[in-house]
Amino acid sequence: AATAPGRDEAFLPSPAVQNHASFLVELPDGAVICTWFGGSLEGKSDISIRAAILLPDANQWGPVSTLSDDPDHSEQNPVIFPAPDGRLWLFHTSQPSGNQDECRV
């Protein structure tokens, strides 16, 4: 829905209680992907990477997808990289629930 000249908004509801570290990337076709991590509490093992796509000229995000779901780890800080070959790469951190000292990418 238009809010001001040259500015549009598209609301993105989330299925999680806590949501952090959103990352936006525009794809060559003009679509935008938003990734973030969410769950009950940062560091808990139910924290997963989520994503939604905003198609060009849309005023509503597509459905939220869960991109990671490791029941033993908290997955955080996502980054999407559109590779030159057209594939999308997802990078994120992962740590055993509550243990940042063992975090890995």
Side-chain angles (χ1 to χ4, degrees):
T3 58
R7 179 175 171 208
D8 290 326
E9 290 183 358
F11 295 100
L12 176 60
S14 175
V17 175
Q18 288 196 355
N19 302 279
H20 301 280
S22 60
F23 181 85
L24 296 171
V25 65
E26 185 175 5
L27 302 178
D29 67 359
V32 175
I33 296 180
C34 180
T35 57
W36 68 95
F37 66 89
S40 65
L41 183 65
E42 185 173 352
K44 296 282 188 181
S45 62
D46 72 344
I47 294 288
S48 298
I49 305 299
R50 317 272 179 151
I53 298 175
L54 181 65
L55 296 175
D57 300 319
N59 63 1
Q60 183 174 348
W61 290 86
V64 175
S65 298
T66 300
L67 302 183
S68 69
D69 189 18
D70 182 338
D72 298 322
H73 288 81
S74 175
E75 297 132 346
Q76 303 175 12
N77 304 316
V79 173
I80 294 279
F81 172 72
D85 65 4
R87 293 187 295 170
L88 295 176
W89 288 76
L90 168 64
F91 297 92
H92 64 85
T93 60
S94 177
Q95 65 190 33
S97 181
N99 191 345
Q100 292 184 353
D101 291 342
E102 294 182 31
C103 187
R104 62 185 184 215
V105 175

